[in-house]
Amino acid sequence: MAFLEIARLEKSFGPLRVVRDFNLSVEQGEFISLLGPSGCGKTTVLRMVAGFETPDSGAIQIEGRNVVRQRPNARKIGMVFQAYALFPNLTVAQNVGFGLKVAGVPRREAEERVAEMLALIGLPDLGARYPFQLSGGQQQRVALARALAVRPRVLLLDEPLSALDAKIRVSLRTEIRTIQQRLGITTIFVTHDQEEALSMSDRIVVMNGGIAEQVGTPFEIYNQPTTKFVANFVGTISTLVAEVEDPAGGAVRVAGQTIRLPRPVEAPRGGRIGLALRPEALHLGAGDGRDTMLPATIADVQFLGSVIRLQLHTGGTTVALDTFNRPDMPPPRVGEHTQVSFAARDVIVLDS
Ligand code: ADP
Ligand code: MG
């Protein structure tokens, strides 16, 4: 049995089924992200693990013991919220030491733990300050220290970076991940930001309408999405419609050309399937190892800095293509006729 085991969890608010048949096994020390659009049930799952919400049915086991009937305090869980959760009338040190005081940890030991936590978050000298004297990023680091001070078994983070400026958000990703790994603490991180989930997690749970649509490593979620929802929610994807020629041989026809996919196709001869492609799987002109080439017209050019994102009309649809910026080469222009190539092995076939 895994360190944290969630089984068949269900939760409704009135007629609204917010979490449905939610299952998840988390190994000790693992960093798991719950990723999904607003309203899909991420916070509700987290609140049930923390004990602020009671599931209608299902089990939540930590170290082999069902905690569903345990009060939040008894579960030994640390939680960090989106923002503004520090006690404004307490100093940083008092905030970080709050849980220790409640737990009756002796003063000397609590002071040592607070100092240790402030060092861990890189703010060793700010213990005497009040929250309003800190930046948003510093406040969230203090909130993290406060959650960790009681040495919880599980750390729950609910969109802790969402309210921060872009630059701070990115640097705090690394910082949170580093601290999490140093302590080896089992963590569930909630976010609607795919980049955060991809960059920080050991594994990601993509949620949609209260359901876990797919669970996998960032690599698997991005490169082998199993549903249309996952493919579209995580990253950008374009779909070419193809007609099946030979299901067993994986042969399909798109824009007058036959492509042999590396796997058999689960659709009848003459049926239509979608060939999904990530922007970086498409190449402008002929490319090494790209076995399919289609005529295309450039419909839009977005200069993003290190990457140029093109929209191209091809195969009866519009596809997104990424190409690296080259200082010695001006970007292509709208209206230009060109060719787009890709490799059959990079095609993602989505059935639902
Ligand atoms: P997320 O964190 O993914 O944005 P939530 O878990 O907060 O989603 O909410 C999921 C759904 O449940 C939303 O439709 C929300 O409005 C509803 N919801 C959440 N908490 C309550 C509540 N206490 N009472 C009624 N509806 C709620
Ligand atoms: Mg939420």
Side-chain angles (χ1 to χ4, degrees):
M1 176 172 282
F3 188 77
L4 169 64
E5 194 87 41
I6 302 176
R8 302 178 311 280
L9 207 60
E10 295 273 346
K11 181 71 181 176
S12 295
F13 291 112
L16 194 64
R17 269 181 89 191
V18 170
V19 175
R20 313 173 185 214
D21 193 22
F22 187 90
N23 298 280
L24 180 66
S25 298
V26 186
E27 297 300 330
Q28 185 158 21
E30 214 179 356
F31 189 111
I32 296 272
S33 287
L34 305 185
L35 172 67
S38 175
C40 73
K42 307 181 295 293
T43 293
T44 305
V45 169
L46 219 58
R47 287 174 58 81
M48 287 192 282
V49 175
F52 302 134
E53 210 75 73
T54 309
D56 297 336
S57 60
I60 300 169
Q61 307 212 51
I62 302 177
E63 295 182 290
R65 193 149 163 232
N66 195 350
V67 298
V68 163
R69 283 177 210 300
Q70 277 182 2
R71 294 157 51 85
N73 275 342
R75 298 187 190 192
K76 290 206 190 157
I77 280 172
M79 190 151 175
V80 177
F81 304 91
Q82 188 170 337
Y84 318 118
L86 294 178
F87 304 117
N89 54 329
L90 299 184
T91 64
V92 165
Q94 287 166 338
N95 264 283
V96 174
F98 186 82
L100 301 170
K101 199 171 171 185
V102 171
V105 174
R107 215 184 83 199
R108 174 65 71 79
E109 196 187 329
E111 278 171 6
E112 274 173 21
R113 191 88 64 82
V114 167
E116 189 187 311
M117 288 299 127
L118 290 179
L120 183 71
I121 57 161
L123 303 175
D125 304 320
L126 299 192
R129 291 222 192 148
Y130 283 88
F132 76 89
Q133 297 171 307
L134 304 179
S135 70
Q138 289 172 332
Q139 288 187 38
Q140 281 308 66
R141 276 144 78 185
V142 173
L144 179 64
R146 185 178 61 182
L148 291 171
V150 294
R151 300 211 167 118
R153 297 186 290 178
V154 178
L155 177 65
L156 305 177
L157 306 166
D158 193 354
E159 311 232 15
L161 307 179
S162 299
L164 305 173
D165 296 340
K167 272 240 173 331
I168 304 289
R169 212 154 66 211
V170 171
S171 69
L172 268 186
R173 280 181 201 164
T174 318
E175 204 166 318
I176 289 177
R177 181 61 164 147
T178 306
I179 290 171
Q180 182 269 334
Q181 283 179 322
R182 190 177 308 162
L183 299 179
I185 185 160
T186 310
T187 301
I188 306 182
F189 178 87
V190 159
T191 181
H192 63 269
D193 181 328
Q194 40 137 338
E195 233 183 65
E196 274 177 15
L198 289 172
S199 64
M200 296 174 75
S201 317
D202 291 313
R203 285 187 302 146
I204 299 171
V205 181
V206 182
M207 289 184 66
N208 181 25
I211 290 170
E213 283 237 349
Q214 187 174 352
V215 183
T217 63
F219 186 89
E220 287 164 349
I221 294 288
Y222 187 79
N223 292 307
Q224 297 140 26
T226 53
T227 68
K228 272 189 189 150
F229 176 82
V230 173
N232 282 300
F233 191 77
V234 183
T236 297
I237 203 141
S238 309
T239 307
L240 292 166
V241 176
E243 188 182 315
V244 179
E245 278 190 347
D246 170 19
V252 300
R253 202 162 174 77
V254 59
Q257 293 187 41
T258 297
I259 305 169
R260 201 161 282 281
L261 301 172
R263 280 169 302 279
V265 176
E266 288 173 35
R269 184 184 303 269
R272 284 172 187 273
I273 61 164
L275 309 182
L277 288 152
R278 293 291 186 196
E280 65 274 24
L282 290 160
H283 192 85
L284 212 52
D288 253 0
R290 269 80 169 193
D291 39 30
T292 303
M293 189 139 87
L294 305 175
T297 308
I298 294 173
D300 188 49
V301 180
Q302 244 186 349
F303 187 77
L304 301 172
S306 77
V307 164
I308 303 168
R309 164 76 48 99
L310 305 174
Q311 303 290 335
L312 299 112
H313 291 312
T314 187
T317 185
T318 304
V319 298
L321 178 156
D322 280 352
T323 173
F324 278 115
N325 169 50
R326 281 183 47 181
D328 59 337
M329 234 171 66
R333 285 203 301 270
V334 173
E336 256 178 60
H337 295 290
T338 181
Q339 311 224 278
V340 55
S341 60
F342 60 90
R345 61 159 192 277
D346 291 337
V347 168
I348 301 164
V349 179
L350 298 167
D351 41 29
S352 61

Short mmCIF file of all heavy atoms in Angstrom, two decimals, residues 58-79:
data_model
loop_
_atom_site.label_atom_id
_atom_site.label_comp_id
_atom_site.label_asym_id
_atom_site.label_seq_id
_atom_site.Cartn_x
_atom_site.Cartn_y
_atom_site.Cartn_z
N GLY A 58 -15.95 6.68 0.22
CA GLY A 58 -14.56 6.48 -0.18
C GLY A 58 -13.64 6.55 1.02
O GLY A 58 -14.06 6.85 2.13
N ALA A 59 -12.37 6.23 0.77
CA ALA A 59 -11.39 6.17 1.85
C ALA A 59 -10.16 7.01 1.55
O ALA A 59 -9.79 7.18 0.39
CB ALA A 59 -10.96 4.72 2.08
N ILE A 60 -9.57 7.57 2.61
CA ILE A 60 -8.29 8.27 2.50
C ILE A 60 -7.37 7.63 3.54
O ILE A 60 -7.60 7.79 4.74
CB ILE A 60 -8.45 9.78 2.79
CG1 ILE A 60 -9.43 10.42 1.80
CG2 ILE A 60 -7.09 10.47 2.73
CD1 ILE A 60 -9.84 11.84 2.18
N GLN A 61 -6.40 6.88 3.09
CA GLN A 61 -5.50 6.21 4.03
C GLN A 61 -4.13 6.86 4.00
O GLN A 61 -3.55 7.05 2.94
CB GLN A 61 -5.36 4.75 3.66
CG GLN A 61 -6.70 4.06 3.53
CD GLN A 61 -6.61 2.61 3.92
OE1 GLN A 61 -6.11 2.27 4.99
NE2 GLN A 61 -7.07 1.74 3.05
N ILE A 62 -3.64 7.19 5.19
CA ILE A 62 -2.27 7.68 5.31
C ILE A 62 -1.51 6.68 6.16
O ILE A 62 -1.96 6.32 7.25
CB ILE A 62 -2.22 9.08 5.95
CG1 ILE A 62 -3.06 10.07 5.13
CG2 ILE A 62 -0.77 9.57 6.03
CD1 ILE A 62 -3.15 11.47 5.70
N GLU A 63 -0.40 6.20 5.65
CA GLU A 63 0.38 5.15 6.32
C GLU A 63 -0.51 4.00 6.78
O GLU A 63 -0.41 3.52 7.91
CB GLU A 63 1.17 5.74 7.50
CG GLU A 63 2.22 6.73 7.04
CD GLU A 63 3.04 7.30 8.18
OE1 GLU A 63 2.51 8.09 8.97
OE2 GLU A 63 4.22 6.94 8.27
N GLY A 64 -1.42 3.60 5.89
CA GLY A 64 -2.22 2.41 6.15
C GLY A 64 -3.43 2.61 7.04
O GLY A 64 -4.13 1.65 7.35
N ARG A 65 -3.69 3.87 7.44
CA ARG A 65 -4.81 4.08 8.35
C ARG A 65 -5.82 5.05 7.73
O ARG A 65 -5.43 6.11 7.24
CB ARG A 65 -4.22 4.68 9.64
CG ARG A 65 -5.22 4.64 10.72
CD ARG A 65 -4.65 4.47 12.10
NE ARG A 65 -5.73 4.87 12.98
CZ ARG A 65 -5.60 5.75 13.94
NH1 ARG A 65 -4.43 6.27 14.22
NH2 ARG A 65 -6.65 6.10 14.65
N ASN A 66 -7.09 4.68 7.75
CA ASN A 66 -8.13 5.54 7.19
C ASN A 66 -8.32 6.76 8.10
O ASN A 66 -8.60 6.62 9.27
CB ASN A 66 -9.44 4.76 7.06
CG ASN A 66 -10.42 5.49 6.15
OD1 ASN A 66 -10.20 6.65 5.77
ND2 ASN A 66 -11.51 4.83 5.81
N VAL A 67 -8.15 7.96 7.51
CA VAL A 67 -8.21 9.18 8.33
C VAL A 67 -9.53 9.93 8.16
O VAL A 67 -9.70 11.01 8.73
CB VAL A 67 -7.03 10.14 7.98
CG1 VAL A 67 -5.70 9.47 8.27
CG2 VAL A 67 -7.11 10.62 6.53
N VAL A 68 -10.44 9.37 7.37
CA VAL A 68 -11.67 10.09 7.03
C VAL A 68 -12.42 10.59 8.26
O VAL A 68 -13.01 11.66 8.25
CB VAL A 68 -12.58 9.20 6.13
CG1 VAL A 68 -14.01 9.72 6.11
CG2 VAL A 68 -12.03 9.19 4.71
N ARG A 69 -12.38 9.82 9.36
CA ARG A 69 -13.09 10.24 10.56
C ARG A 69 -12.21 11.03 11.53
O ARG A 69 -12.68 11.45 12.59
CB ARG A 69 -13.68 9.03 11.26
CG ARG A 69 -14.91 8.57 10.54
CD ARG A 69 -15.56 7.35 11.08
NE ARG A 69 -16.22 6.63 10.01
CZ ARG A 69 -17.19 7.13 9.27
NH1 ARG A 69 -17.65 8.34 9.49
NH2 ARG A 69 -17.71 6.43 8.28
N GLN A 70 -10.95 11.21 11.17
CA GLN A 70 -10.06 11.96 12.07
C GLN A 70 -10.23 13.46 11.87
O GLN A 70 -10.45 13.93 10.76
CB GLN A 70 -8.60 11.62 11.77
CG GLN A 70 -8.12 10.35 12.44
CD GLN A 70 -6.65 10.08 12.13
OE1 GLN A 70 -5.99 10.86 11.46
NE2 GLN A 70 -6.17 8.96 12.62
N ARG A 71 -10.09 14.21 12.98
CA ARG A 71 -10.14 15.66 12.88
C ARG A 71 -8.87 16.16 12.18
O ARG A 71 -7.85 15.49 12.20
CB ARG A 71 -10.20 16.26 14.29
CG ARG A 71 -11.48 15.93 15.04
CD ARG A 71 -11.25 16.04 16.54
NE ARG A 71 -10.64 17.32 16.90
CZ ARG A 71 -11.35 18.43 17.12
NH1 ARG A 71 -12.67 18.41 17.04
NH2 ARG A 71 -10.75 19.55 17.43
N PRO A 72 -8.98 17.36 11.55
CA PRO A 72 -7.83 17.88 10.80
C PRO A 72 -6.51 17.84 11.60
O PRO A 72 -5.49 17.39 11.08
CB PRO A 72 -8.23 19.32 10.49
CG PRO A 72 -9.72 19.28 10.44
CD PRO A 72 -10.15 18.23 11.44
N ASN A 73 -6.54 18.28 12.85
CA ASN A 73 -5.32 18.33 13.66
C ASN A 73 -4.67 16.97 13.84
O ASN A 73 -3.45 16.85 13.85
CB ASN A 73 -5.62 18.92 15.05
CG ASN A 73 -5.58 20.42 15.00
OD1 ASN A 73 -5.03 21.00 14.06
ND2 ASN A 73 -6.19 21.06 15.98
N ALA A 74 -5.50 15.95 13.97
CA ALA A 74 -4.98 14.61 14.24
C ALA A 74 -4.30 14.00 13.02
O ALA A 74 -3.56 13.03 13.13
CB ALA A 74 -6.13 13.71 14.70
N ARG A 75 -4.55 14.58 11.84
CA ARG A 75 -4.02 13.97 10.61
C ARG A 75 -2.56 14.30 10.34
O ARG A 75 -1.93 13.71 9.48
CB ARG A 75 -4.87 14.40 9.41
CG ARG A 75 -6.29 13.94 9.53
CD ARG A 75 -7.07 14.22 8.26
NE ARG A 75 -8.49 13.97 8.49
CZ ARG A 75 -9.41 13.90 7.54
NH1 ARG A 75 -9.06 14.10 6.28
NH2 ARG A 75 -10.66 13.66 7.82
N LYS A 76 -2.03 15.30 11.04
CA LYS A 76 -0.63 15.74 10.85
C LYS A 76 -0.37 16.12 9.39
O LYS A 76 0.45 15.50 8.70
CB LYS A 76 0.34 14.65 11.27
CG LYS A 76 0.37 14.42 12.75
CD LYS A 76 1.72 13.85 13.10
CE LYS A 76 1.80 13.36 14.50
NZ LYS A 76 2.85 12.37 14.66
N ILE A 77 -1.15 17.10 8.95
CA ILE A 77 -1.03 17.57 7.57
C ILE A 77 -0.75 19.06 7.59
O ILE A 77 -1.30 19.79 8.42
CB ILE A 77 -2.34 17.24 6.82
CG1 ILE A 77 -2.31 15.76 6.41
CG2 ILE A 77 -2.53 18.13 5.60
CD1 ILE A 77 -3.59 15.25 5.86
N GLY A 78 0.12 19.51 6.71
CA GLY A 78 0.42 20.94 6.60
C GLY A 78 -0.24 21.47 5.34
O GLY A 78 -0.30 20.78 4.33
N MET A 79 -0.78 22.70 5.43
CA MET A 79 -1.47 23.22 4.26
C MET A 79 -1.09 24.68 4.00
O MET A 79 -0.97 25.48 4.93
CB MET A 79 -2.98 23.09 4.46
CG MET A 79 -3.77 23.37 3.21
SD MET A 79 -5.33 22.45 3.15
CE MET A 79 -6.04 23.10 1.66
#
